[in-house]
Structure formats: C-alpha cells, structure tokens
Amino acid sequence: MHSLNVALGARSYPIIIGPKLLGDAQYLLPSIRGRQVCVVTNETVAPLYLARLLKGLPGFDKVDVVELPDGESYKTLNTVNRIFDALLEKRHNRTTTLIALGGGVVGDMCGFAAACYQRGVDFIQIPTTLLALVDSSVGGKTGVNHPLGKNMIGAFYQPRLVLADTDTLTTLPGREFSAGIAEVIKYGLICDAPFFLWLEANMDALLQRDTAILAYAVDRCCRDKAAVVASDERESGRRAILNFGHTFGHAIETVQGYGAWLHGEAVAAGMVLALELSRLCGSVDNNLLGRLRSLLRKARLPQRPPAGMTVTDFLQAMALDKKVVNGRLRLVVLKALGEARVAEDTPREKVIDALKNCGVR
C-alpha cells in the first residue's frame, strides 16, 4: 500500500493506493463525518464493485445508491440532475457524503453534484479506471460537458479522500487501460523526465498489468500531480501544465462527439500535436517526438488526429476552450523533456503548421 497527501491547508486530503482497499471500513470511515451516504456509480461498475463497497459502510442511518448510464455522452447537466433528484427524494441533508465509484465521468459528475448540493457537501473519490486513478480523481476538478465544449461547466471542489484500489484495474477493458496510459506518459513529459525514461524501459510490463510496476506508476503519477496541485490549486499558473495535449485533445472530443474517441486517446494525439508545436517553437527536437510516438505505439494509442478533422475544425473548437483568456489561446508546450510552460504568445501560424505537419488538412 502507498499513501500520500495533497497539501492544500484546510482542504488537504489523503490518497491511498493499493490492492484490496475497496470496502475496507478502516480507510473509508475516518473521511465520513455525517450519518448519511450516497454512492454514485454507473451501470457498468455497479455489478462489479458496488456490493464490495457497501460492505465497508456499516452502521449509517442512510446509504443510498444512484446508478447512472455509462459513457462520456452522458456527462451532462441532465445526468447530474438525477443525482440531485435522488438526494432530495431521499432527504439527504448537508452532512451527507457522496462517494464516486467509477471512472472519470462518474467522478467528475459526483464531485460537481457535491459542490452544488446545499452549497457543498463532502465527497470521496473511488476511481476504477487507470485514467481516473492517475489523473481525474486527484486535484478537485469537477464538471460536465456542453455540446460546444468539454468540461465547460464545473467547479474546483476537493474530495475528502481518494481511495485507489488497484485491483479494480483487472476488469478494465484493454482500450480503456491504454487510454489511461496517455495520462501516465504526460507526467513524464511535463514534469518528471526520469519517469519518462522509466516508462520507456517498463512499458511492456505496464501493459501486462504487472502488479508492482502498475502500483509504482500510479503512485508516481499521483505524487507528481499532487505536487503541482498543491502549488496552484485553481490553475492560475503552474497547474495549467497538466493540460499538455488537452486543448488539442478536447477539440477532437468535441468535434468527433463525446465518446467516439476516449479521453486518453484524444489526449495521446493531442500530445503529439503539442510536442510538434514545441518543436516548431525551437525547444525540442524530432528525437523526442519520435520517442513519444514509439511509447504511444506500444500502448496502442493514436499518434495522429482523426482523419476527417480539418484545421478549421480544430481552430473553431479550440477557440471555445476554457484556456482562452482575453481572446488569446494559452497552449502548453515543452521547454525540454520534463519541463513544460504555458505559451500565451504562440503565433496562430505555428499552430496551423503543427496541425498540418501531423496530417491535418
């Protein structure tokens, strides 16, 4: 078992990582302050893990379950309203604790509901996908999608606990496991060069879900993200580097339709575009781009954007991104392997050249 702390003063919380944690009351109960609990999950995860979780919640006055449909296309205000309906119908008060049991979509919607219900109630993240374990469950970003843009409606709202049971990854389909590896690779690129080298040496074992290798990777990613979040909780500066590849990736998700490409797949192609932009800015060379493509290829992730997307598609979608400030698009580029910066002065022509160099027409 590994444990670490996200240091945010009064909003600090632990991340506990390891096997056989799900449903263990000794980890859950210290983070639940009231007598009411509502578990938010989805129709795919519930049959696998809900009963095990409920065993770890003894003695509460009220334990209710909201089971949502599965998929990025359901990450909407209408779906979140189902959580509010259940909380109100079951008379949950402001001492209740919401527990997100699922991947990034469940975690984002549950956290957003917790931020809004009665102006804020406690919640716990129990991620069940690799992407959620290493990224979306940590840091307090919550929200939903809008037809015009991904994650455009939401709130910063920190959980009380992240309980990451690595055993849940044994049932994760191969495509979703690979999608999570995109976010794993991201940390090596933006802030942890030694980890990138480790991934180059251990990618095959990681893909085979070797227990020790997987636990190390999850722990390393969580530590990297926790350090960035602790330095900039609300993304006013350094935290923006976590968006490396995401502005391009979100454009892919928006144009293709939510769920057509998994988030990690879109981020993989987006990182290639962001690294090509970095090369055009003169900070990295073709060698690093080739190394990234090689890692993505091993992980069975896309190295090119969707064939049907055009430069205009990208530019229009990116213009609606959250990272547009005063009409200027802020993009994350690399200064070197393991060192990222936010570029607010990137010429539009270089963005277009990066897109075209990666096969976008």
Side-chain angles (χ1 to χ4, degrees), residues 208-231:
Q208 292 165 10
R209 311 191 197 192
D210 176 277
T211 304
I213 293 292
L214 187 54
Y216 176 82
V218 172
D219 179 76
R220 186 74 171 247
C221 292
C222 287
R223 290 183 187 278
D224 284 341
K225 183 163 188 180
V228 173
V229 170
S231 69

Side-chain angles (χ1 to χ4, degrees), residues 67-356:
E67 189 173 316
L68 303 175
D70 186 14
E72 185 82 26
S73 62
Y74 294 104
K75 189 179 169 185
T76 65
L77 284 173
N78 284 339
T79 305
V80 170
N81 206 46
R82 294 171 59 168
I83 303 174
F84 295 140
D85 288 345
L87 292 171
L88 290 166
E89 289 167 3
K90 302 292 186 178
R91 299 189 179 183
H92 283 256
N93 58 42
R94 61 177 46 181
T95 69
T96 195
T97 295
L98 304 191
I99 299 179
L101 175 66
V105 172
V106 167
D108 280 8
M109 289 195 291
C110 180
F112 184 49
C116 297
Y117 188 66
Q118 300 204 25
R119 298 186 177 91
V121 298
D122 290 345
F123 89 108
I124 290 170
Q125 288 270 22
I126 302 182
T128 61
T129 66
L130 180 58
L131 191 147
L133 260 71
V134 302
D135 192 71
S136 63
S137 67
V138 179
K141 278 189 175 182
T142 72
V144 296
N145 300 329
H146 186 278
L148 294 179
K150 184 176 172 69
N151 294 330
M152 294 300 288
I153 303 165
F156 286 99
Y157 198 68
Q158 302 296 340
R160 292 268 300 161
L161 164 72
V162 178
L163 189 66
D165 189 334
T166 52
D167 283 347
T168 62
L169 299 181
T170 62
T171 59
L172 192 64
R175 183 185 175 194
E176 290 195 28
F177 188 84
S178 289
I181 290 178
E183 294 283 4
V184 173
I185 293 171
K186 178 191 74 176
Y187 291 106
L189 288 168
I190 64 170
C191 64
D192 195 343
F195 184 49
F196 188 86
L197 301 180
W198 182 90
L199 286 170
E200 289 183 310
N202 291 279
M203 182 57 72
D204 290 338
L206 185 59
L207 288 168
Q208 292 165 10
R209 311 191 197 192
D210 176 277
T211 304
I213 293 292
L214 187 54
Y216 176 82
V218 172
D219 179 76
R220 186 74 171 247
C221 292
C222 287
R223 290 183 187 278
D224 284 341
K225 183 163 188 180
V228 173
V229 170
S231 69
D232 177 23
E233 181 180 3
R234 291 181 173 265
E235 204 170 292
S236 59
R238 176 171 166 74
R239 180 169 176 165
I241 68 170
L242 297 171
N243 294 315
F244 182 73
H246 282 58
T247 301
F248 292 109
H250 288 171
I252 292 171
E253 291 182 87
T254 300
V255 173
Q256 295 297 300
Y258 300 121
W261 278 42
L262 297 179
H263 176 66
E265 293 170 338
V267 166
M271 290 194 298
V272 173
L273 289 164
L275 198 55
E276 172 60 15
L277 179 62
S278 305
R279 188 189 70 80
L280 292 174
C281 292
S283 53
V284 299
D285 57 23
N286 270 325
N287 177 58
L288 183 56
L289 192 58
R291 291 165 68 186
L292 172 59
R293 288 184 187 275
S294 177
L295 270 182
L296 295 175
R297 191 177 301 111
K298 280 187 177 181
R300 298 184 289 275
L301 285 165
Q303 300 112 59
R304 299 171 65 90
M309 282 189 69
T310 66
V311 169
T312 300
D313 289 333
F314 271 99
L315 295 179
Q316 288 180 345
M318 291 163 67
L320 295 171
D321 192 272
K322 298 187 300 300
K323 293 168 281 297
V324 173
V325 177
N326 297 325
R328 298 164 62 188
L329 179 61
R330 299 187 303 159
L331 290 166
V332 183
V333 296
L334 294 193
K335 293 191 284 186
L337 176 60
E339 189 176 359
R341 71 177 180 92
V342 179
E344 300 188 15
D345 53 353
T346 306
R348 176 186 173 94
E349 292 73 22
K350 283 193 176 179
V351 176
I352 293 173
D353 287 344
L355 289 165
K356 289 182 175 179

